[in-house]
């Protein structure tokens, strides 16, 4: 399995040139540089992959890492074949209507993972809450009641159709960031971003703050699956 792009996207990605861009946050300018990587797989080491692309990093920089690639390269994906959906997962998945091109929890195996992780009582309550509020024009009750696992679990579609990407626990993500900071000697953050928003999962002690990064990276300079830019370097201008 590969990260960030399909084979047919290789040629275009290899010729892409990414430039520094500037964003202002609270009156301060920050420079951003998406880092184009080679083809990364679950056999790669996250620290080594970062070192391979951080030759231009300077003291005071922060490297933001896509949560998906951090999960992939630290061996935290879940084999989708271990999530055989039960009747409840199949029923609920049929009633999910994704707002974007992502299939979301309409993938029954992803719904099964959420049920097993969150528990039946909470999922039943979230389902009832959604059924009651949706006719009133209120959307998202299921995800609010089921919690961040339901909202943030990813995978289950090409090129990741064989695995699921459960979101990092915040404390685990903080430990990963701190370990990487010691290895790289710059600030590190793990981010979950897309073209519709996202969040800063964790930051290391020397990283820019989560609030600053949320503004600086709000337009998702990492791009989507086919851009092959899972890292972005952020530098105070």
């Amino acid at each position: 399995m590969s990260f960030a792009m399909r084979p047919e996207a290789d040629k275009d990605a290899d010729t892409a040139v990414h430039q520094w861009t500037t964003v202002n946050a609270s009156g301060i300018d920050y420079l951003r540089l998406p880092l184009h990587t080679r083809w990364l797989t679950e056999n790669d080491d996250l620290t080594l992959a970062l070192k391979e692309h951080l030759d231009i990093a300077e003291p005071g920089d922060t490297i933001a890492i896509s949560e998906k690639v951090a999960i992939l390269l630290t061996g935290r994906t879940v084999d989708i074949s271990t999530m055989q959906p039960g009747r409840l997962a199949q029923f609920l998945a049929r009633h999910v209507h994704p707002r974007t091109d992502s299939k979301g929890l309409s993938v029954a195996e992803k719904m099964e993972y959420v049920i097993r992780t969150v528990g039946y009582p909470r999922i039943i309550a979230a389902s009832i809450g959604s059924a009651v509020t949706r006719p009133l024009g209120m959307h998202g009750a299921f995800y609010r009641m089921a919690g961040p696992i339901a909202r943030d679990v990813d995978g289950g579609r090409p090129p990741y159709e064989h695995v699921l990407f459960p979101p990092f626990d915040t404390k685990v993500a903080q430990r990963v960031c701190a370990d990487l900071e010691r290895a790289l000697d710059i600030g590190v953050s793990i981010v979950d971003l897309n073209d519709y928003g996202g969040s800063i999962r964790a930051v290391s002690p020397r990283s820019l703050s989560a609030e600053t990064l949320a503004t600086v990276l709000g337009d998702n300079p990492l791009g989507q699956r086919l851009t092959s830019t899972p890292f972005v370097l952020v530098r105070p201008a």
Side-chain angles (χ1 to χ4, degrees):
M1 184 187 66
S2 62
F3 170 75
M5 60 185 175
R6 297 174 184 271
E8 60 267 24
D10 257 343
K11 184 176 180 181
D12 290 339
D14 285 342
T15 58
V17 176
H18 298 281
Q19 303 290 340
W20 289 96
T21 56
T22 304
V23 170
N24 187 277
S26 300
I28 300 174
D29 286 337
Y30 295 89
L31 301 173
R32 315 172 308 173
L33 180 66
L35 301 179
H36 175 256
T37 70
R38 60 181 175 79
W39 191 290
L40 299 176
T41 76
E42 67 271 24
N43 296 318
D44 283 296
D45 178 85
L46 180 57
T47 302
L48 295 179
L50 285 161
K51 287 182 175 180
E52 192 176 322
H53 297 89
L54 283 177
D55 55 307
I56 62 172
E58 298 178 355
D61 288 353
T62 294
I63 184 68
I65 306 167
S66 163
E67 181 178 44
K68 183 176 291 184
V69 77
I71 292 169
L72 178 67
L73 270 60
T74 57
R76 289 179 166 86
T77 57
V78 174
D79 188 334
I80 200 169
S81 67
T82 65
M83 292 292 137
Q84 293 300 317
R87 292 182 179 179
L88 179 60
Q90 294 178 30
F91 173 79
L92 294 177
R94 288 196 297 269
H95 291 81
V96 172
H97 306 290
R99 293 183 301 169
T100 67
D101 62 340
S102 172
K103 292 184 179 180
L105 295 184
S106 65
V107 178
E109 289 84 357
K110 291 171 74 172
M111 184 67 79
E112 179 66 24
Y113 176 83
V114 172
I115 293 172
R116 294 187 192 183
T117 305
V118 175
Y120 278 86
R122 189 170 179 178
I123 292 300
I124 294 297
S127 302
I128 294 172
S130 177
V132 170
T133 57
R134 184 177 292 178
L136 302 177
M138 301 169 62
H139 300 282
F142 178 88
Y143 297 95
R144 287 191 294 272
M145 297 177 68
I149 294 290
R151 182 183 65 248
D152 295 336
V153 64
D154 208 343
R157 62 168 179 157
Y160 312 114
E161 60 267 39
H162 303 305
V163 295
L164 300 179
F165 293 81
F168 268 112
D169 173 82
T170 299
K171 291 184 178 180
V172 174
Q174 288 171 342
R175 288 199 297 270
V176 172
C177 287
D179 289 343
L180 289 171
E181 177 180 278
R182 286 190 289 270
L184 303 172
D185 203 29
I186 61 172
V188 178
S189 65
I190 294 175
V191 301
D192 176 28
L193 301 173
N194 55 52
D195 290 344
Y196 303 92
S199 62
I200 309 302
R201 189 68 68 197
V203 298
S204 70
R206 290 162 55 187
S207 167
L208 293 170
S209 70
E211 293 76 14
T212 296
L213 288 171
T215 301
V216 172
L217 303 178
D219 61 342
N220 189 26
L222 286 84
Q224 297 295 345
R225 289 176 298 162
L226 301 182
T227 58
S228 194
T229 49
F231 313 133
V232 58
L233 197 61
V234 181
R235 175 179 299 167

